[in-house]
Amino acid sequence: MHKLSVLTAALLAAVAMPAMAQISDDVVKIGILNDQSGVYADFGGRWSYEAALMAVEDFGGTVNGATIEVITADHQNKPDVASNIARQWYDTENVDTIMELTTSSVALAVQGLSKEKKKITMATGPATTALTGEQCSPYGFHWAYDTHALAVGTGGALVEQGGDTWFFLTADYAFGYSLEEQTSKFVTEHGGTVLGSVRHPLSNTDYSSFLLQAQASGAKVIGMANAGLDTANTVKQASEFGIVQGGQKLAALLFTLAEVHGLGLQAAQGITLTEGFYWDRDDESREFSQRFFERTQRMPNMVQAGTYSTVTQYLKAIQKAGTDETEAVAKVLHEMPVDDVFGRGGKVLANGRMVYDMYLMEVKSPDESTKPWDYYKVLATIPGAQAYLSAEESGCPLVTQ
């Protein structure tokens, strides 16, 4: 009886073992993979890595007794480079999850590989709705924004203001196509007309021929379906051509605080855009952003603040699941509400899309700005249910219709 009692006690102890025993290698390793040297280096870049480190520090540096590590790499906006890094991280460096993934083509490639490897991805940098649509994954999550939310926000505002004829200047890859398609659909559904489009290479420097075509179209709105330095350079050259002075409106379909800062208010003033975070929104966002500023000398945009949110939510999910095993953590991520400085009242849909409110902004003029980084006027809040496609509408094959 004594031996049986000892065996029973041992079994009970095994069942009640601390959660850290369920953490692989006693380490939770997070990879931040993005563009750190190219056209999107300010859009996310090493600043997203700093946001991830900040999230780990705020979480306490451990989860369920296991150490948390964050590593980072530059994918150079090349899907093959990104896939090779991701494969190495998974196969030899025991990385548990990859996050950020600026550039849609990169994100699709890494999410596809991660699905095969049964690893979680949490994307904040890419825009394409395909991540939670036709190429969705049970382990893939999309935070911060997507092309549908941008189209509803910026496109919707300008159509309502009378901008009913459009010409698109589009980055020649998956992100640009998706953003043009989503915005075109929204414009035409609301009675507008798309007069044409032209595509430019990623990291282009001379936009003169593209802008001349846009100008000649006579469209009331020139939709810039690009991002990062591509958008900044388009705006600069449009100013040289006198396009806005000639009565056409520039719509920056993906423009964030980082690009406004790099361009300056003199050039960026009056541009309408949509973001999912603004540092000066309220006391909580100001406190978080000031701490971010102290370590980076810049205020965060939605990609960087969103990366803070994904890291925090992932760690919360591990804590709740008691393990870093992919299926268990993914289940909790789908079920657990998002409520942090970034995603107030957010929820994750069955296709992995995190839904939360977006903000329609207008860039202030230099005279309207009263302090450093005071760049935006918030024109409207776009409810999450309006900004994002439902899981059923997304085309994700994992979703039961």
Side-chain angles (χ1 to χ4, degrees):
M1 291 294 293
H2 177 68
K3 288 183 178 180
L4 182 59
S5 298
V6 170
L7 179 60
T8 302
L11 288 171
L12 289 172
V15 171
M17 284 177 72
M20 68 172 291
Q22 300 299 317
I23 303 297
S24 55
D25 305 314
D26 290 336
V27 174
V28 171
K29 188 175 283 191
I30 299 167
I32 303 299
L33 185 58
N34 61 11
D35 175 16
Q36 299 179 13
S37 58
V39 67
Y40 302 136
D42 277 348
F43 181 73
R46 61 192 180 96
W47 318 114
S48 289
Y49 174 60
E50 286 294 333
L53 293 176
M54 188 173 163
V56 170
E57 291 167 14
D58 287 353
F59 201 81
T62 64
V63 58
N64 294 356
T67 301
I68 306 164
E69 293 182 11
V70 183
I71 63 173
T72 189
D74 182 355
H75 60 46
Q76 303 170 47
N77 294 311
K78 297 175 181 177
D80 57 338
V81 171
S83 295
N84 288 336
I85 293 170
R87 193 178 301 276
Q88 178 183 336
W89 278 0
Y90 289 147
D91 292 348
T92 67
E93 299 188 40
N94 298 318
V95 167
D96 296 295
T97 179
I98 297 178
M99 299 186 185
E100 219 271 39
L101 293 169
T102 294
T103 312
S104 293
S105 54
V106 162
L108 290 168
V110 173
Q111 181 170 283
L113 172 65
S114 302
K115 182 179 179 180
E116 294 174 17
K117 298 280 188 179
K118 290 193 174 182
K119 296 283 189 175
I120 287 171
T121 56
M122 300 184 74
T124 53
T128 179
T129 53
L131 285 166
T132 51
E134 61 270 22
Q135 296 188 49
C136 66
S137 164
Y139 318 119
F141 299 86
H142 198 180
W143 246 244
Y145 73 103
D146 63 24
T147 51
H148 187 270
L150 299 176
V152 170
T154 308
L158 291 176
V159 172
E160 289 173 6
Q161 293 171 11
D164 55 4
T165 55
W166 286 63
F167 187 96
F168 288 93
L169 197 154
T170 302
D172 192 11
Y173 78 107
F175 151 70
Y177 311 152
S178 180
L179 187 50
E180 179 186 331
E181 178 186 4
Q182 293 280 348
T183 309
S184 296
K185 182 173 181 288
F186 193 86
V187 168
T188 55
E189 284 179 351
H190 287 74
T193 304
V194 176
L195 301 181
S197 67
V198 63
R199 291 175 175 175
H200 69 80
L202 181 66
S203 305
N204 196 50
T205 54
D206 183 4
Y207 294 87
S208 56
S209 64
F210 308 122
L211 285 166
L212 285 171
Q213 290 181 63
Q215 191 173 37
S217 74
K220 295 178 183 177
V221 179
I222 298 173
M224 296 178 289
N226 52 18
L229 286 177
D230 282 340
T231 305
N233 288 331
T234 304
V235 172
K236 287 179 184 176
Q237 292 177 34
S239 177
E240 294 168 6
F241 278 80
I243 286 178
V244 174
Q245 295 89 327
Q248 290 173 296
K249 178 79 172 177
L250 291 178
L253 298 172
L254 178 50
F255 207 49
T256 76
L257 195 75
E259 291 75 56
V260 173
H261 181 71
L263 196 56
L265 292 181
Q266 187 62 46
Q269 61 183 309
I271 289 177
T272 303
L273 58 94
T274 300
E275 273 216 63
F277 178 82
Y278 183 40
W279 74 269
D280 203 18
R281 180 184 60 198
D282 55 31
D283 288 343
E284 186 182 9
S285 63
R286 283 187 284 272
E287 187 277 332
F288 162 77
S289 299
Q290 185 58 44
R291 291 194 295 116
F292 183 86
F293 181 86
E294 288 168 1
R295 63 193 296 154
T296 64
Q297 300 307 299
R298 61 197 296 124
M299 291 298 184
N301 65 5
M302 65 178 170
V303 175
Q304 294 140 10
T307 301
Y308 177 92
S309 177
T310 56
V311 172
T312 301
Q313 195 75 357
Y314 178 70
L315 296 174
K316 286 179 179 178
I318 290 176
Q319 188 175 60
K320 185 172 182 179
T323 177
D324 63 352
E325 191 274 324
T326 295
E327 299 280 0
V329 175
K331 183 176 185 294
V332 174
L333 284 170
H334 276 103
E335 296 171 349
M336 189 167 57
V338 180
D339 193 14
D340 55 31
V341 69
F342 175 78
R344 302 267 179 75
K347 64 177 181 179
V348 176
L349 305 182
N351 62 348
R353 175 67 254 176
M354 198 278 278
V355 171
Y356 73 115
D357 293 348
M358 301 290 287
Y359 302 96
L360 181 67
M361 316 280 200
E362 183 179 292
V363 180
K364 291 183 175 182
S365 69
D367 290 342
E368 291 173 313
S369 180
T370 60
K371 57 188 175 184
W373 294 89
D374 176 27
Y375 294 160
Y376 289 161
K377 291 183 283 188
V378 180
L379 301 180
T381 298
I382 306 160
Q386 178 183 334
Y388 294 102
L389 291 167
S390 69
E392 291 73 22
E393 293 171 320
S394 71
C396 173
L398 301 173
V399 177
T400 302
Q401 298 295 327

